Amino acid sequence: MKHFIRKSGSVFLDTDLYKAVPSETFNAPPMKTSGRAPTKANVDEYLWKMSQKYGIQDIYPALVGTVKTESGRTHWRRKGKGGILTSETDAKGLMQLMPKTAEGLGVEREDWRQNIEGGVKLWSTNYNYALK
């Protein structure tokens, strides 16, 4: 099974690796954010719930570190016209997901919850693959 694809000098993960599944049936209560931008507490709480869902709560600090590094735990730009935090390379959201990565993970980058779930799902896949 091929896990990496080379295209024009870049290396991408094969989409077969994006098949992380929840560790068991998971029912999270809905988040209470009133449609506003998530607070850091909302982000941390949802990261914890997703880490439990995908069975990687033991690396929760690494997930928090990823969000802090990638986006500073803010889904929105602080300056300019506002909008979703987007890098120069078109990575978006809290986990800074690229378009093809988000597509492979089956998430919408613009939705902060799906952005987190996609990032945690990717972490879970890579973490579990590394443990094999």
Side-chain angles (χ1 to χ4, degrees), residues 72-122:
R73 289 193 287 187
T74 181
H75 191 62
W76 310 103
R77 278 189 253 156
R78 293 187 183 112
K79 297 178 182 175
K81 296 180 182 178
I84 295 171
L85 187 67
T86 306
S87 73
E88 293 174 6
T89 58
D90 198 33
K92 283 189 178 182
L94 291 159
M95 288 291 219
Q96 289 291 283
L97 298 176
M98 295 296 287
K100 291 289 185 183
T101 303
E103 183 181 319
L105 293 166
V107 298
E108 286 292 325
R109 301 181 304 153
E110 290 78 15
D111 180 320
W112 71 271
R113 291 179 189 93
Q114 288 189 36
N115 193 287
I116 287 175
E117 183 164 6
V120 172
K121 189 175 183 179
L122 183 59

mmCIF file of all heavy atoms in Angstrom, residues 72-122:
data_model
loop_
_atom_site.group_PDB
_atom_site.id
_atom_site.type_symbol
_atom_site.label_atom_id
_atom_site.label_comp_id
_atom_site.label_asym_id
_atom_site.label_seq_id
_atom_site.Cartn_x
_atom_site.Cartn_y
_atom_site.Cartn_z
ATOM 1 N N GLY A 72 -3.202 30.379 16.610
ATOM 2 C CA GLY A 72 -3.332 31.151 17.848
ATOM 3 C C GLY A 72 -4.681 30.965 18.506
ATOM 4 O O GLY A 72 -5.142 31.808 19.258
ATOM 5 N N ARG A 73 -5.357 29.871 18.203
ATOM 6 C CA ARG A 73 -6.705 29.533 18.699
ATOM 7 C C ARG A 73 -7.753 30.560 18.304
ATOM 8 O O ARG A 73 -8.728 30.774 19.017
ATOM 9 C CB ARG A 73 -6.710 29.322 20.211
ATOM 10 C CG ARG A 73 -6.023 28.052 20.626
ATOM 11 C CD ARG A 73 -6.309 27.703 22.047
ATOM 12 N NE ARG A 73 -5.604 28.592 22.956
ATOM 13 C CZ ARG A 73 -5.565 28.431 24.254
ATOM 14 N NH1 ARG A 73 -6.173 27.441 24.813
ATOM 15 N NH2 ARG A 73 -4.912 29.273 25.013
ATOM 16 N N THR A 74 -7.567 31.195 17.171
ATOM 17 C CA THR A 74 -8.601 32.091 16.668
ATOM 18 C C THR A 74 -8.947 31.684 15.242
ATOM 19 O O THR A 74 -8.070 31.413 14.439
ATOM 20 C CB THR A 74 -8.183 33.573 16.733
ATOM 21 O OG1 THR A 74 -9.265 34.360 16.253
ATOM 22 C CG2 THR A 74 -6.945 33.867 15.926
ATOM 23 N N HIS A 75 -10.231 31.590 14.967
ATOM 24 C CA HIS A 75 -10.702 31.157 13.658
ATOM 25 C C HIS A 75 -10.810 32.337 12.689
ATOM 26 O O HIS A 75 -10.935 32.154 11.503
ATOM 27 C CB HIS A 75 -12.063 30.481 13.824
ATOM 28 C CG HIS A 75 -12.556 29.750 12.615
ATOM 29 N ND1 HIS A 75 -11.877 28.675 12.073
ATOM 30 C CD2 HIS A 75 -13.655 29.919 11.851
ATOM 31 C CE1 HIS A 75 -12.558 28.220 11.025
ATOM 32 N NE2 HIS A 75 -13.641 28.955 10.874
ATOM 33 N N TRP A 76 -10.755 33.547 13.231
ATOM 34 C CA TRP A 76 -10.980 34.742 12.422
ATOM 35 C C TRP A 76 -9.745 35.625 12.416
ATOM 36 O O TRP A 76 -9.016 35.694 13.385
ATOM 37 C CB TRP A 76 -12.162 35.539 12.960
ATOM 38 C CG TRP A 76 -13.343 34.674 13.160
ATOM 39 C CD1 TRP A 76 -13.808 34.183 14.340
ATOM 40 C CD2 TRP A 76 -14.186 34.137 12.154
ATOM 41 N NE1 TRP A 76 -14.891 33.378 14.128
ATOM 42 C CE2 TRP A 76 -15.155 33.338 12.793
ATOM 43 C CE3 TRP A 76 -14.227 34.257 10.764
ATOM 44 C CZ2 TRP A 76 -16.142 32.665 12.100
ATOM 45 C CZ3 TRP A 76 -15.219 33.593 10.080
ATOM 46 C CH2 TRP A 76 -16.158 32.806 10.741
ATOM 47 N N ARG A 77 -9.558 36.340 11.307
ATOM 48 C CA ARG A 77 -8.467 37.311 11.227
ATOM 49 C C ARG A 77 -8.739 38.466 12.160
ATOM 50 O O ARG A 77 -9.871 38.906 12.291
ATOM 51 C CB ARG A 77 -8.339 37.848 9.799
ATOM 52 C CG ARG A 77 -7.566 36.922 8.922
ATOM 53 C CD ARG A 77 -7.300 37.598 7.627
ATOM 54 N NE ARG A 77 -8.188 36.942 6.674
ATOM 55 C CZ ARG A 77 -8.613 37.460 5.559
ATOM 56 N NH1 ARG A 77 -8.258 38.657 5.217
ATOM 57 N NH2 ARG A 77 -9.395 36.798 4.754
ATOM 58 N N ARG A 78 -7.705 38.971 12.775
ATOM 59 C CA ARG A 78 -7.876 40.097 13.698
ATOM 60 C C ARG A 78 -7.816 41.430 12.982
ATOM 61 O O ARG A 78 -8.336 42.409 13.451
ATOM 62 C CB ARG A 78 -6.785 40.046 14.756
ATOM 63 C CG ARG A 78 -6.923 38.865 15.676
ATOM 64 C CD ARG A 78 -5.926 38.951 16.817
ATOM 65 N NE ARG A 78 -6.025 37.781 17.640
ATOM 66 C CZ ARG A 78 -5.086 36.860 17.742
ATOM 67 N NH1 ARG A 78 -3.972 36.979 17.069
ATOM 68 N NH2 ARG A 78 -5.255 35.818 18.509
ATOM 69 N N LYS A 79 -7.129 41.477 11.863
ATOM 70 C CA LYS A 79 -6.952 42.748 11.160
ATOM 71 C C LYS A 79 -7.598 42.676 9.787
ATOM 72 O O LYS A 79 -7.911 41.615 9.287
ATOM 73 C CB LYS A 79 -5.464 43.054 11.008
ATOM 74 C CG LYS A 79 -4.751 43.229 12.320
ATOM 75 C CD LYS A 79 -3.291 43.482 12.116
ATOM 76 C CE LYS A 79 -2.581 43.616 13.457
ATOM 77 N NZ LYS A 79 -1.145 43.735 13.290
ATOM 78 N N GLY A 80 -7.747 43.808 9.167
ATOM 79 C CA GLY A 80 -8.291 43.834 7.811
ATOM 80 C C GLY A 80 -9.792 43.671 7.801
ATOM 81 O O GLY A 80 -10.491 44.101 8.707
ATOM 82 N N LYS A 81 -10.285 43.016 6.772
ATOM 83 C CA LYS A 81 -11.725 42.879 6.578
ATOM 84 C C LYS A 81 -12.349 41.776 7.418
ATOM 85 O O LYS A 81 -13.538 41.571 7.388
ATOM 86 C CB LYS A 81 -12.008 42.586 5.103
ATOM 87 C CG LYS A 81 -11.615 43.714 4.185
ATOM 88 C CD LYS A 81 -11.933 43.356 2.766
ATOM 89 C CE LYS A 81 -11.494 44.471 1.824
ATOM 90 N NZ LYS A 81 -11.754 44.129 0.433
ATOM 91 N N GLY A 82 -11.555 41.048 8.144
ATOM 92 C CA GLY A 82 -12.091 39.936 8.913
ATOM 93 C C GLY A 82 -12.158 38.699 8.036
ATOM 94 O O GLY A 82 -11.418 38.578 7.080
ATOM 95 N N GLY A 83 -13.026 37.796 8.368
ATOM 96 C CA GLY A 83 -13.125 36.555 7.603
ATOM 97 C C GLY A 83 -12.315 35.459 8.264
ATOM 98 O O GLY A 83 -11.662 35.648 9.282
ATOM 99 N N ILE A 84 -12.353 34.295 7.665
ATOM 100 C CA ILE A 84 -11.682 33.123 8.209
ATOM 101 C C ILE A 84 -10.175 33.263 8.052
ATOM 102 O O ILE A 84 -9.691 33.691 7.010
ATOM 103 C CB ILE A 84 -12.194 31.850 7.513
ATOM 104 C CG1 ILE A 84 -13.671 31.676 7.862
ATOM 105 C CG2 ILE A 84 -11.399 30.630 7.931
ATOM 106 C CD1 ILE A 84 -14.362 30.610 7.091
ATOM 107 N N LEU A 85 -9.453 32.884 9.089
ATOM 108 C CA LEU A 85 -7.993 32.937 9.075
ATOM 109 C C LEU A 85 -7.475 32.083 7.919
ATOM 110 O O LEU A 85 -7.734 30.893 7.855
ATOM 111 C CB LEU A 85 -7.463 32.414 10.403
ATOM 112 C CG LEU A 85 -5.973 32.532 10.643
ATOM 113 C CD1 LEU A 85 -5.586 34.007 10.758
ATOM 114 C CD2 LEU A 85 -5.592 31.795 11.904
ATOM 115 N N THR A 86 -6.773 32.713 6.987
ATOM 116 C CA THR A 86 -6.263 32.032 5.798
ATOM 117 C C THR A 86 -4.792 32.375 5.609
ATOM 118 O O THR A 86 -4.417 33.536 5.666
ATOM 119 C CB THR A 86 -7.047 32.464 4.539
ATOM 120 O OG1 THR A 86 -8.440 32.264 4.779
ATOM 121 C CG2 THR A 86 -6.633 31.665 3.324
ATOM 122 N N SER A 87 -3.981 31.353 5.368
ATOM 123 C CA SER A 87 -2.551 31.590 5.159
ATOM 124 C C SER A 87 -2.292 31.981 3.711
ATOM 125 O O SER A 87 -3.178 31.918 2.863
ATOM 126 C CB SER A 87 -1.760 30.324 5.491
ATOM 127 O OG SER A 87 -1.962 29.362 4.484
ATOM 128 N N GLU A 88 -1.054 32.348 3.436
ATOM 129 C CA GLU A 88 -0.667 32.696 2.065
ATOM 130 C C GLU A 88 -0.790 31.506 1.125
ATOM 131 O O GLU A 88 -0.931 31.672 -0.075
ATOM 132 C CB GLU A 88 0.774 33.213 2.050
ATOM 133 C CG GLU A 88 0.946 34.530 2.769
ATOM 134 C CD GLU A 88 2.400 34.952 2.866
ATOM 135 O OE1 GLU A 88 3.273 34.287 2.281
ATOM 136 O OE2 GLU A 88 2.654 35.970 3.527
ATOM 137 N N THR A 89 -0.722 30.293 1.675
ATOM 138 C CA THR A 89 -0.814 29.080 0.845
ATOM 139 C C THR A 89 -2.232 28.530 0.792
ATOM 140 O O THR A 89 -2.442 27.424 0.325
ATOM 141 C CB THR A 89 0.136 27.994 1.366
ATOM 142 O OG1 THR A 89 -0.207 27.709 2.723
ATOM 143 C CG2 THR A 89 1.583 28.427 1.268
ATOM 144 N N ASP A 90 -3.217 29.279 1.291
ATOM 145 C CA ASP A 90 -4.637 28.940 1.276
ATOM 146 C C ASP A 90 -5.051 27.907 2.323
ATOM 147 O O ASP A 90 -6.095 27.295 2.215
ATOM 148 C CB ASP A 90 -5.091 28.497 -0.122
ATOM 149 C CG ASP A 90 -6.615 28.563 -0.262
ATOM 150 O OD1 ASP A 90 -7.229 29.456 0.364
ATOM 151 O OD2 ASP A 90 -7.194 27.714 -0.967
ATOM 152 N N ALA A 91 -4.236 27.710 3.350
ATOM 153 C CA ALA A 91 -4.668 26.884 4.476
ATOM 154 C C ALA A 91 -5.646 27.728 5.290
ATOM 155 O O ALA A 91 -5.450 28.924 5.443
ATOM 156 C CB ALA A 91 -3.473 26.481 5.328
ATOM 157 N N LYS A 92 -6.721 27.093 5.780
ATOM 158 C CA LYS A 92 -7.761 27.855 6.482
ATOM 159 C C LYS A 92 -8.108 27.279 7.835
ATOM 160 O O LYS A 92 -8.034 26.076 8.047
ATOM 161 C CB LYS A 92 -9.049 27.881 5.650
ATOM 162 C CG LYS A 92 -9.017 28.828 4.497
ATOM 163 C CD LYS A 92 -10.393 28.964 3.874
ATOM 164 C CE LYS A 92 -10.344 29.966 2.733
ATOM 165 N NZ LYS A 92 -11.653 30.152 2.130
ATOM 166 N N GLY A 93 -8.554 28.174 8.712
ATOM 167 C CA GLY A 93 -9.152 27.793 9.980
ATOM 168 C C GLY A 93 -8.170 27.524 11.103
ATOM 169 O O GLY A 93 -6.983 27.786 11.003
ATOM 170 N N LEU A 94 -8.712 26.993 12.177
ATOM 171 C CA LEU A 94 -7.939 26.749 13.388
ATOM 172 C C LEU A 94 -6.799 25.765 13.175
ATOM 173 O O LEU A 94 -5.717 25.931 13.707
ATOM 174 C CB LEU A 94 -8.871 26.220 14.488
ATOM 175 C CG LEU A 94 -9.862 27.245 15.018
ATOM 176 C CD1 LEU A 94 -11.026 26.556 15.688
ATOM 177 C CD2 LEU A 94 -9.177 28.196 15.960
ATOM 178 N N MET A 95 -7.051 24.718 12.410
ATOM 179 C CA MET A 95 -6.026 23.704 12.150
ATOM 180 C C MET A 95 -5.275 23.967 10.848
ATOM 181 O O MET A 95 -4.429 23.177 10.454
ATOM 182 C CB MET A 95 -6.654 22.310 12.105
ATOM 183 C CG MET A 95 -7.091 21.806 13.453
ATOM 184 S SD MET A 95 -5.694 21.449 14.502
ATOM 185 C CE MET A 95 -6.237 19.981 15.313
ATOM 186 N N GLN A 96 -5.610 25.075 10.173
ATOM 187 C CA GLN A 96 -4.950 25.462 8.920
ATOM 188 C C GLN A 96 -4.921 24.304 7.914
ATOM 189 O O GLN A 96 -3.873 23.850 7.472
ATOM 190 C CB GLN A 96 -3.541 25.992 9.196
ATOM 191 C CG GLN A 96 -3.540 27.357 9.868
ATOM 192 C CD GLN A 96 -4.033 28.458 8.949
ATOM 193 O OE1 GLN A 96 -3.314 28.899 8.077
ATOM 194 N NE2 GLN A 96 -5.266 28.898 9.129
ATOM 195 N N LEU A 97 -6.112 23.823 7.571
ATOM 196 C CA LEU A 97 -6.246 22.717 6.622
ATOM 197 C C LEU A 97 -6.181 23.221 5.188
ATOM 198 O O LEU A 97 -6.778 24.242 4.851
ATOM 199 C CB LEU A 97 -7.576 21.986 6.833
ATOM 200 C CG LEU A 97 -7.775 21.322 8.192
ATOM 201 C CD1 LEU A 97 -9.180 20.732 8.278
ATOM 202 C CD2 LEU A 97 -6.728 20.260 8.442
ATOM 203 N N MET A 98 -5.468 22.501 4.365
ATOM 204 C CA MET A 98 -5.387 22.804 2.934
ATOM 205 C C MET A 98 -6.641 22.256 2.247
ATOM 206 O O MET A 98 -7.276 21.335 2.759
ATOM 207 C CB MET A 98 -4.133 22.171 2.327
ATOM 208 C CG MET A 98 -2.843 22.751 2.872
ATOM 209 S SD MET A 98 -2.640 24.488 2.474
ATOM 210 C CE MET A 98 -2.251 24.388 0.739
ATOM 211 N N PRO A 99 -7.012 22.799 1.078
ATOM 212 C CA PRO A 99 -8.248 22.371 0.410
ATOM 213 C C PRO A 99 -8.334 20.863 0.151
ATOM 214 O O PRO A 99 -9.342 20.237 0.474
ATOM 215 C CB PRO A 99 -8.231 23.151 -0.905
ATOM 216 C CG PRO A 99 -7.359 24.327 -0.654
ATOM 217 C CD PRO A 99 -6.348 23.886 0.356
ATOM 218 N N LYS A 100 -7.296 20.282 -0.425
ATOM 219 C CA LYS A 100 -7.335 18.841 -0.750
ATOM 220 C C LYS A 100 -7.334 17.978 0.508
ATOM 221 O O LYS A 100 -7.960 16.924 0.537
ATOM 222 C CB LYS A 100 -6.156 18.454 -1.645
ATOM 223 C CG LYS A 100 -6.238 19.025 -3.033
ATOM 224 C CD LYS A 100 -7.315 18.349 -3.827
ATOM 225 C CE LYS A 100 -7.312 18.854 -5.256
ATOM 226 N NZ LYS A 100 -8.370 18.303 -6.044
ATOM 227 N N THR A 101 -6.643 18.434 1.538
ATOM 228 C CA THR A 101 -6.632 17.688 2.799
ATOM 229 C C THR A 101 -8.036 17.671 3.403
ATOM 230 O O THR A 101 -8.532 16.623 3.791
ATOM 231 C CB THR A 101 -5.637 18.311 3.799
ATOM 232 O OG1 THR A 101 -4.344 18.340 3.201
ATOM 233 C CG2 THR A 101 -5.585 17.535 5.092
ATOM 234 N N ALA A 102 -8.675 18.840 3.445
ATOM 235 C CA ALA A 102 -10.035 18.919 3.992
ATOM 236 C C ALA A 102 -10.995 18.068 3.165
ATOM 237 O O ALA A 102 -11.852 17.372 3.720
ATOM 238 C CB ALA A 102 -10.503 20.368 4.022
ATOM 239 N N GLU A 103 -10.832 18.101 1.867
ATOM 240 C CA GLU A 103 -11.684 17.294 0.988
ATOM 241 C C GLU A 103 -11.490 15.804 1.280
ATOM 242 O O GLU A 103 -12.452 15.051 1.384
ATOM 243 C CB GLU A 103 -11.331 17.599 -0.471
ATOM 244 C CG GLU A 103 -12.197 16.887 -1.477
ATOM 245 C CD GLU A 103 -11.776 17.216 -2.905
ATOM 246 O OE1 GLU A 103 -11.457 18.392 -3.191
ATOM 247 O OE2 GLU A 103 -11.756 16.284 -3.725
ATOM 248 N N GLY A 104 -10.239 15.392 1.427
ATOM 249 C CA GLY A 104 -9.943 13.996 1.740
ATOM 250 C C GLY A 104 -10.482 13.567 3.092
ATOM 251 O O GLY A 104 -10.858 12.418 3.285
ATOM 252 N N LEU A 105 -10.528 14.499 4.035
ATOM 253 C CA LEU A 105 -11.032 14.216 5.374
ATOM 254 C C LEU A 105 -12.550 14.336 5.449
ATOM 255 O O LEU A 105 -13.149 13.961 6.446
ATOM 256 C CB LEU A 105 -10.403 15.173 6.380
ATOM 257 C CG LEU A 105 -8.904 15.016 6.607
ATOM 258 C CD1 LEU A 105 -8.347 16.219 7.354
ATOM 259 C CD2 LEU A 105 -8.612 13.732 7.361
ATOM 260 N N GLY A 106 -13.154 14.904 4.412
ATOM 261 C CA GLY A 106 -14.612 15.058 4.382
ATOM 262 C C GLY A 106 -15.121 16.145 5.303
ATOM 263 O O GLY A 106 -16.190 16.008 5.900
ATOM 264 N N VAL A 107 -14.355 17.239 5.436
ATOM 265 C CA VAL A 107 -14.775 18.344 6.307
ATOM 266 C C VAL A 107 -14.771 19.662 5.545
ATOM 267 O O VAL A 107 -14.110 19.797 4.519
ATOM 268 C CB VAL A 107 -13.861 18.471 7.556
ATOM 269 C CG1 VAL A 107 -13.931 17.232 8.410
ATOM 270 C CG2 VAL A 107 -12.421 18.774 7.176
ATOM 271 N N GLU A 108 -15.517 20.618 6.075
ATOM 272 C CA GLU A 108 -15.541 21.986 5.553
ATOM 273 C C GLU A 108 -14.552 22.813 6.365
ATOM 274 O O GLU A 108 -14.683 22.916 7.588
ATOM 275 C CB GLU A 108 -16.936 22.595 5.698
ATOM 276 C CG GLU A 108 -17.941 22.048 4.728
ATOM 277 C CD GLU A 108 -17.642 22.456 3.301
ATOM 278 O OE1 GLU A 108 -17.149 23.584 3.084
ATOM 279 O OE2 GLU A 108 -17.893 21.639 2.410
ATOM 280 N N ARG A 109 -13.589 23.409 5.711
ATOM 281 C CA ARG A 109 -12.571 24.191 6.411
ATOM 282 C C ARG A 109 -13.140 25.420 7.084
ATOM 283 O O ARG A 109 -12.614 25.896 8.087
ATOM 284 C CB ARG A 109 -11.463 24.638 5.445
ATOM 285 C CG ARG A 109 -10.761 23.508 4.777
ATOM 286 C CD ARG A 109 -9.660 23.969 3.859
ATOM 287 N NE ARG A 109 -10.124 24.915 2.844
ATOM 288 C CZ ARG A 109 -9.339 25.823 2.282
ATOM 289 N NH1 ARG A 109 -8.075 25.927 2.623
ATOM 290 N NH2 ARG A 109 -9.807 26.630 1.359
ATOM 291 N N GLU A 110 -14.218 25.980 6.545
ATOM 292 C CA GLU A 110 -14.773 27.230 7.053
ATOM 293 C C GLU A 110 -15.523 27.058 8.364
ATOM 294 O O GLU A 110 -15.694 28.007 9.108
ATOM 295 C CB GLU A 110 -15.693 27.873 6.010
ATOM 296 C CG GLU A 110 -14.957 28.409 4.802
ATOM 297 C CD GLU A 110 -14.551 27.326 3.792
ATOM 298 O OE1 GLU A 110 -15.073 26.186 3.877
ATOM 299 O OE2 GLU A 110 -13.708 27.615 2.936
ATOM 300 N N ASP A 111 -16.019 25.867 8.644
ATOM 301 C CA ASP A 111 -16.732 25.588 9.890
ATOM 302 C C ASP A 111 -15.695 25.235 10.953
ATOM 303 O O ASP A 111 -14.972 24.252 10.815
ATOM 304 C CB ASP A 111 -17.702 24.422 9.675
ATOM 305 C CG ASP A 111 -18.499 24.065 10.917
ATOM 306 O OD1 ASP A 111 -17.930 24.082 12.028
ATOM 307 O OD2 ASP A 111 -19.690 23.745 10.770
ATOM 308 N N TRP A 112 -15.601 26.004 12.023
ATOM 309 C CA TRP A 112 -14.533 25.795 13.000
ATOM 310 C C TRP A 112 -14.584 24.424 13.642
ATOM 311 O O TRP A 112 -13.550 23.828 13.930
ATOM 312 C CB TRP A 112 -14.495 26.912 14.040
ATOM 313 C CG TRP A 112 -15.606 26.961 15.037
ATOM 314 C CD1 TRP A 112 -16.800 27.612 14.904
ATOM 315 C CD2 TRP A 112 -15.616 26.349 16.324
ATOM 316 N NE1 TRP A 112 -17.552 27.442 16.036
ATOM 317 C CE2 TRP A 112 -16.852 26.666 16.928
ATOM 318 C CE3 TRP A 112 -14.726 25.560 17.034
ATOM 319 C CZ2 TRP A 112 -17.209 26.232 18.201
ATOM 320 C CZ3 TRP A 112 -15.068 25.123 18.299
ATOM 321 C CH2 TRP A 112 -16.303 25.461 18.871
ATOM 322 N N ARG A 113 -15.779 23.887 13.862
ATOM 323 C CA ARG A 113 -15.888 22.555 14.468
ATOM 324 C C ARG A 113 -15.378 21.485 13.506
ATOM 325 O O ARG A 113 -14.640 20.586 13.903
ATOM 326 C CB ARG A 113 -17.327 22.272 14.878
ATOM 327 C CG ARG A 113 -17.806 23.102 16.039
ATOM 328 C CD ARG A 113 -19.258 22.766 16.374
ATOM 329 N NE ARG A 113 -19.805 23.667 17.336
ATOM 330 C CZ ARG A 113 -20.487 24.777 17.033
ATOM 331 N NH1 ARG A 113 -20.688 25.118 15.793
ATOM 332 N NH2 ARG A 113 -20.953 25.547 17.979
ATOM 333 N N GLN A 114 -15.793 21.583 12.241
ATOM 334 C CA GLN A 114 -15.330 20.611 11.253
ATOM 335 C C GLN A 114 -13.832 20.759 11.010
ATOM 336 O O GLN A 114 -13.133 19.765 10.775
ATOM 337 C CB GLN A 114 -16.097 20.767 9.940
ATOM 338 C CG GLN A 114 -17.517 20.275 10.032
ATOM 339 C CD GLN A 114 -18.191 20.222 8.684
ATOM 340 O OE1 GLN A 114 -17.565 19.905 7.679
ATOM 341 N NE2 GLN A 114 -19.473 20.543 8.650
ATOM 342 N N ASN A 115 -13.333 21.980 11.078
ATOM 343 C CA ASN A 115 -11.910 22.218 10.906
ATOM 344 C C ASN A 115 -11.131 21.494 12.010
ATOM 345 O O ASN A 115 -10.133 20.812 11.731
ATOM 346 C CB ASN A 115 -11.642 23.725 10.939
ATOM 347 C CG ASN A 115 -10.268 24.089 10.453
ATOM 348 O OD1 ASN A 115 -9.287 23.864 11.143
ATOM 349 N ND2 ASN A 115 -10.201 24.661 9.261
ATOM 350 N N ILE A 116 -11.590 21.613 13.239
ATOM 351 C CA ILE A 116 -10.943 20.914 14.351
ATOM 352 C C ILE A 116 -11.066 19.408 14.173
ATOM 353 O O ILE A 116 -10.097 18.673 14.324
ATOM 354 C CB ILE A 116 -11.542 21.347 15.709
ATOM 355 C CG1 ILE A 116 -11.085 22.756 16.049
ATOM 356 C CG2 ILE A 116 -11.161 20.363 16.815
ATOM 357 C CD1 ILE A 116 -11.709 23.323 17.305
ATOM 358 N N GLU A 117 -12.265 18.943 13.837
ATOM 359 C CA GLU A 117 -12.445 17.496 13.678
ATOM 360 C C GLU A 117 -11.535 16.953 12.574
ATOM 361 O O GLU A 117 -10.930 15.902 12.721
ATOM 362 C CB GLU A 117 -13.894 17.125 13.384
ATOM 363 C CG GLU A 117 -14.079 15.629 13.296
ATOM 364 C CD GLU A 117 -15.503 15.135 13.387
ATOM 365 O OE1 GLU A 117 -16.431 15.975 13.403
ATOM 366 O OE2 GLU A 117 -15.683 13.915 13.443
ATOM 367 N N GLY A 118 -11.417 17.689 11.474
ATOM 368 C CA GLY A 118 -10.536 17.259 10.398
ATOM 369 C C GLY A 118 -9.087 17.177 10.854
ATOM 370 O O GLY A 118 -8.382 16.210 10.553
ATOM 371 N N GLY A 119 -8.637 18.186 11.606
ATOM 372 C CA GLY A 119 -7.267 18.176 12.110
ATOM 373 C C GLY A 119 -7.014 17.036 13.078
ATOM 374 O O GLY A 119 -5.980 16.366 13.024
ATOM 375 N N VAL A 120 -7.978 16.778 13.971
ATOM 376 C CA VAL A 120 -7.840 15.689 14.936
ATOM 377 C C VAL A 120 -7.881 14.344 14.213
ATOM 378 O O VAL A 120 -7.123 13.425 14.542
ATOM 379 C CB VAL A 120 -8.924 15.771 16.037
ATOM 380 C CG1 VAL A 120 -8.904 14.537 16.924
ATOM 381 C CG2 VAL A 120 -8.732 17.029 16.868
ATOM 382 N N LYS A 121 -8.731 14.247 13.215
ATOM 383 C CA LYS A 121 -8.818 13.007 12.429
ATOM 384 C C LYS A 121 -7.482 12.722 11.737
ATOM 385 O O LYS A 121 -7.000 11.592 11.723
ATOM 386 C CB LYS A 121 -9.942 13.151 11.398
ATOM 387 C CG LYS A 121 -10.291 11.903 10.655
ATOM 388 C CD LYS A 121 -11.500 12.169 9.759
ATOM 389 C CE LYS A 121 -11.959 10.952 9.042
ATOM 390 N NZ LYS A 121 -13.124 11.211 8.197
ATOM 391 N N LEU A 122 -6.865 13.766 11.190
ATOM 392 C CA LEU A 122 -5.563 13.616 10.541
ATOM 393 C C LEU A 122 -4.492 13.223 11.559
ATOM 394 O O LEU A 122 -3.682 12.327 11.316
ATOM 395 C CB LEU A 122 -5.178 14.909 9.827
ATOM 396 C CG LEU A 122 -3.876 14.896 9.037
ATOM 397 C CD1 LEU A 122 -3.910 13.826 7.960
ATOM 398 C CD2 LEU A 122 -3.653 16.260 8.401
#
